[in-house]
Amino acid sequence: MEWNTLLNTDKLGHTAAKQELGRSPFNSDHDKIIFSGAFRRLAKKTQVHPLATNDHIHNRLTHSLEVACVGRSLGIKVGHALQDKGCLPEAFVPTDLGDIVQSACLAHDIGNPPFGHTGEEAIRNWFKYDGNHHLTDLSVEEKHDLLFFEGNAQGLRLLTSSEYHPDDGGMRLTYSTLASFIKYPWTSLPTAEGKRPKPNKYGVFQSELAIFDEIALAVGLEKQPGDNWYCRHPLVYLMEAADDFCYGILDLEDGLEMDILRWDDIFDILKPVLKPSEIDSLEADLAKASDRQKPALIRGKVISAYIDAATEAFIKNEQGLLQGKHSDLISLCPANIRESVEQAKNTAKTKIFSHPRKIELEIGSYHIISTLLDIMCSAAIELVDNPTEISFRSKRVVDLIGRDTFDRQTKKGEKLTPKYLALMRVIDYISGMTDNYASYLAKQFNGMGESR
């Protein structure tokens, strides 16, 4: 893969980006994402703790903004390093890479359903058990999309098919930003020809397969063994690292805020990435601060250490990344960085994610998602089977989702079953909900709701 092709400024649909003074095509991508309704709704979507009542706890919006800040810095630093090596094409400047990575980071969670990863699992669980009868006429590939629903693939669908220009380019972002967003450039169906880096993850539904191929061709992603599988765009590694750095640190901060973790637990994990001179100069400030104030005093220094290490690892392994030889960037960083991020993840998994309060709310969110899918999928399938004579309740459900979303025609040459497309419309609607709206609507469907 080559940087000249990887940094493609054309928009989805092979439309040349508009030339604007002081505003690159990648700036335009950033602004389209920021102003979208899907991005705004992240403010009421779970990051870790469903329906948290503490306003200091991260939600998907604050998390995405923080990841974007780290991603921008990573992109710019890598851009300067590539420029110094003479590897950055003359038509581009280091801030272009920062803008691409920042945009990809802003969108990286945009496809997540209500209740975060619990919502993803609830959708999979429903199609595996309660809703399995709706899958009988679907192809194997289509069934896999629903049985193994993935928020990353839903994000690509939203960016390219749902928001702004439905089924006509979506947000119409540049090929470079879209390719840098696709963390797992393969479909849900496993391939026999080769072992994917993360077999339990994927980034493309069957409904966006043609768009995916268009993006891969436009930026020159290298084909991998098997069907519908490409190498990652090298800037994906920066987006992924920024995400890992942020949730590694900030999940710990949330744990402290919710009295699940102690400050000493957090400092033991983050201290090894700090320089001894930084620790010495911090001691007086840390001694005067409360435990909940302490993370802010070291956060910037820890993130700076992470960014420097990731930049150095990227440049050192640039050729391998361009050839698709590495599965992630953090594994290429020095041991103290790798161990710090890994310990942060493990601590969050064992002490925060398993907290009784979180488990209670997750169980409730399963019931909410199941209620919505039960009623909405039944209505969607009824519409497909007999569009002129559906029940009154199903008609009202279809009206709520939007009849026009079901009336859109299949694209020319697309070989997708009508039931699959109808179920995907339901998934679009539910995935777009906030935690609060999903809870409210499930109560309404059960006849237990109140007027808004």
Side-chain angles (χ1 to χ4, degrees):
M1 296 184 286
E2 298 180 354
W3 286 111
N4 264 317
T5 312
L6 290 166
L7 302 178
N8 189 333
T9 60
D10 287 348
K11 297 187 295 184
L12 183 63
H14 293 281
T15 304
K18 184 167 59 175
Q19 298 300 313
E20 299 178 82
L21 184 63
R23 189 166 179 257
S24 75
F26 310 126
N27 291 142
S28 177
D29 291 343
H30 169 277
D31 295 350
K32 288 175 183 176
I33 296 166
I34 285 279
F35 280 92
S36 69
F39 185 76
R40 185 167 60 251
R41 289 192 294 274
L42 293 176
K44 292 294 184 180
K45 287 197 176 190
T46 295
Q47 170 60 16
V48 173
H49 308 280
L51 300 171
T53 55
N54 186 331
D55 288 341
H56 294 276
I57 302 303
H58 287 86
N59 55 51
R60 287 285 170 185
L61 181 65
T62 52
H63 169 72
S64 297
L65 289 168
E66 289 166 347
V67 173
C69 290
V70 175
R72 179 191 60 218
S73 297
L74 257 175
I76 292 172
K77 292 200 77 164
V78 166
H80 276 292
L82 290 174
Q83 191 177 58
D84 290 343
K85 286 177 60 180
C87 297
L88 187 67
E90 290 184 8
F92 299 93
V93 294
T95 53
D96 286 330
L97 271 66
D99 291 336
I100 295 170
V101 179
Q102 182 180 32
S103 296
C105 288
L106 283 172
H108 83 281
D109 275 346
I110 206 165
N112 279 29
F115 313 113
H117 295 304
T118 301
E120 286 180 295
E121 193 58 48
I123 292 172
R124 297 168 193 149
N125 184 81
W126 187 84
F127 278 108
K128 184 176 182 180
Y129 299 107
D130 299 338
N132 193 264
H133 59 287
H134 290 313
L135 308 181
T136 51
D137 298 331
L138 274 59
S139 69
V140 174
E141 294 85 356
E142 291 170 343
K143 288 178 182 178
H144 261 258
D145 284 356
L146 296 166
L147 289 168
F148 303 97
F149 171 79
E150 174 62 52
N152 288 287
Q154 182 65 28
L156 181 65
R157 178 173 168 83
L158 189 150
L159 294 176
T160 62
S161 300
S162 303
E163 189 91 7
Y164 289 165
H165 302 281
D167 298 320
D168 190 23
M171 292 192 191
R172 297 179 182 172
L173 304 179
T174 64
Y175 288 114
S176 293
T177 291
L178 289 170
S180 300
F181 165 84
I182 305 174
K183 200 172 177 181
Y184 309 111
W186 51 80
T187 60
S188 63
L189 198 64
T191 177
E193 286 86 350
K195 186 178 179 182
R196 291 168 173 170
K198 293 190 177 180
N200 61 328
K201 291 281 190 179
Y202 68 96
V204 186
F205 290 135
Q206 292 300 308
S207 51
E208 281 67 57
L209 192 51
I211 291 172
F212 173 50
D213 287 335
E214 181 182 332
I215 294 166
L217 181 64
V219 298
L221 298 186
E222 189 171 319
K223 196 81 169 62
Q224 292 289 82
D227 295 331
N228 309 314
W229 177 18
Y230 293 88
C231 287
R232 283 176 159 188
H233 190 290
L235 297 185
V236 169
Y237 294 95
L238 301 183
M239 179 266 282
E240 182 180 49
D243 185 26
D244 284 352
F245 292 157
C246 283
Y247 80 68
I249 296 173
L250 301 170
D251 282 355
L252 300 183
E253 291 189 21
D254 285 347
L256 182 66
E257 186 66 39
M258 298 182 76
D259 295 319
I260 299 172
L261 298 178
R262 299 178 301 115
W263 163 248
D264 289 343
D265 298 329
I266 295 174
F267 195 49
D268 286 344
I269 293 170
L270 303 181
K271 185 177 178 180
V273 308
L274 299 173
K275 299 173 184 175
S277 59
E278 291 177 329
I279 297 172
D280 293 341
S281 64
L282 278 169
E283 283 183 347
D285 290 334
L286 290 171
K288 291 184 290 185
S290 69
D291 280 356
R292 290 186 180 180
Q293 293 172 325
K294 288 175 181 177
L297 297 177
I298 70 165
R299 185 191 304 128
K301 290 180 171 57
V302 171
I303 290 176
S304 180
Y306 284 164
I307 288 173
D308 288 345
T311 301
E312 186 176 342
F314 188 98
I315 296 303
K316 185 178 179 180
N317 296 279
E318 180 200 355
Q319 286 306 307
L321 293 169
L322 287 170
Q323 294 166 14
K325 291 182 177 179
H326 302 293
S327 60
D328 71 283
L329 188 58
I330 292 176
S331 65
L332 304 175
C333 290
N336 65 326
I337 300 295
R338 293 197 312 269
E339 291 167 6
S340 174
V341 174
E342 193 60 38
Q343 285 180 33
K345 288 183 179 181
N346 289 338
T347 299
K349 187 181 296 183
T350 57
K351 295 188 176 181
I352 299 175
F353 297 173
S354 60
H355 191 267
R357 175 60 175 156
K358 185 174 188 296
I359 294 172
E360 292 167 4
L361 291 167
E362 285 179 345
I363 293 169
S365 66
Y366 262 74
H367 179 69
I368 290 167
I369 294 291
S370 293
T371 297
L372 298 175
L373 286 168
D374 268 332
I375 294 172
M376 291 185 167
C377 288
S378 293
I381 296 301
E382 190 177 336
L383 179 67
V384 171
D385 287 341
N386 193 0
T388 59
E389 294 184 23
I390 62 173
S391 66
F392 176 78
R393 189 181 81 159
S394 292
K395 181 180 182 304
R396 300 308 285 162
V397 171
V398 169
D399 288 343
L400 180 65
I401 298 172
R403 177 64 186 253
D404 64 308
T405 67
F406 294 100
D407 289 342
R408 295 179 201 144
Q409 297 298 309
T410 303
K411 299 182 187 72
K412 186 177 180 181
E414 198 173 50
K415 298 178 181 178
L416 299 172
T417 61
K419 284 187 178 180
Y420 169 77
L421 293 172
L423 292 172
M424 292 303 291
R425 300 299 188 198
V426 173
I427 294 295
D428 289 341
Y429 191 69
I430 293 176
S431 292
M433 293 180 186
T434 64
D435 295 5
N436 291 336
Y437 183 64
S439 302
Y440 160 81
L441 195 59
K443 288 180 181 178
Q444 295 290 88
F445 283 179
N446 284 322
M448 300 165 57
E450 299 177 0
S451 299
R452 298 178 75 187

